[in-house]
Amino acid sequence: MSLFGCCSTGVTLPGRAGLPGSLRSLLSVRMLTGAVFGAAVEVAAIITALALYPSGMGEERHTAEAGSRPEVPSDGTVPFPAVSAGSPVLLVHGLFSNRAIFPVLRRGLRQAGFSRVTALNYSWLSNDIRSAARLLADEVERMCEVSGHERVHVIGHSLGGVIARYYVQRMGGDARVHTLVTLGAPHHGTLAAMVPLPHQAIRQLRPGSDVLVELAGPAPGCGTRFVAFHSDLDELVVPTANARLVHPDLQVSNVPVRAIGHVSLPLHRRVVREVCRVLLGARVAEPLAAA
């Protein structure tokens, strides 16, 4: 059984009703087996995330980036590095999480050639989506200043994807973000957020919230490319299709993922490989910021 389904290109797969009974039974068994295996992997991912959580407390260290700013050639011209090799990548975690959720994703990105990978830690206890987006805006500016690049890539898991989208779509962040990849982000809300908890960020993830209504509004000229990964086994985005991003003004590719749970998405090696492939495909040359 394949991990990734067809991207949203308008292609319709034949329904199972027209298949022979034996083939339908085989497909059903495979789907059930995949779901059971995916659930087991999700449990392991949750245990791993809990174990890693203490290591992600506190702020990211940025000393490794010092001196990484490219030099301007002596002839005064400004180099144009390939996005695949040079663009910084910023990771944004989700609810009940921190930057410790990203070790597999960090390693995969660095192996793919992205040498500048950092993660934003925000307090999901004290910040709502809008205030967290302001923190994200500050971090993006810092990354651009340190690296010398005018644009970055952002990868947001769960709530982090909605925060990043708010920054890009409502705060002019499309001028700084080349590609925004979201992993299990409830772009259209989730019924799981209907739990009676007095937390603003959770309330903002409810379908029809003021933030989601704002994001559904017009976004003419938004220059960021969006890639939304959504899984059929996502237990926290209900219904799971709400992790797809549908907006008439945005450049969107929706990538369906099979039998991978919500917490597993940034930890699953095959998902990480696909994310790297998506970013490596962003081969649009970008100018460096002025020295």
Side-chain angles (χ1 to χ4, degrees), residues 59-69 117-118 142 146:
E59 295 302 316
E60 181 96 334
R61 293 184 179 181
H62 300 299
T63 54
E65 291 184 344
S68 62
R69 185 183 180 93
V117 181
T118 189
R142 188 203 67 80
V146 169

Side-chain angles (χ1 to χ4, degrees), residues 200-276:
Q200 189 170 2
I202 294 177
R203 292 196 299 268
Q204 289 172 334
L205 294 180
R206 295 172 181 171
S209 73
D210 58 338
V211 167
L212 296 183
V213 169
E214 189 176 351
L215 288 175
C222 184
T224 294
R225 179 181 68 141
F226 294 82
V227 182
F229 286 74
H230 58 99
S231 174
D232 61 355
L233 200 63
D234 194 318
E235 72 279 13
L236 293 183
V237 180
V238 184
T240 58
N242 279 11
R244 298 177 72 253
L245 178 52
V246 179
H247 193 293
D249 294 333
L250 303 181
Q251 308 169 50
V252 181
S253 296
N254 287 296
V255 181
V257 179
R258 293 175 180 166
I260 296 178
H262 187 81
V263 178
S264 301
L265 284 167
L267 294 167
H268 201 289
R269 295 184 186 277
R270 282 179 288 174
V271 173
V272 169
R273 284 200 297 268
E274 183 68 7
V275 170
C276 292

Side-chain angles (χ1 to χ4, degrees), residues 1 32 65 73 105-106 141 155 164 170-171 182 194 203 207 232 248 273 278 286:
M1 183 178 65
L32 178 59
E65 291 184 344
L105 186 53
R106 282 179 186 265
E141 291 301 319
I155 303 172
R170 303 299 300 175
M171 298 174 61
T182 64
M194 300 304 291
R203 292 196 299 268
D232 61 355
R273 284 200 297 268
V278 165
E286 297 182 79

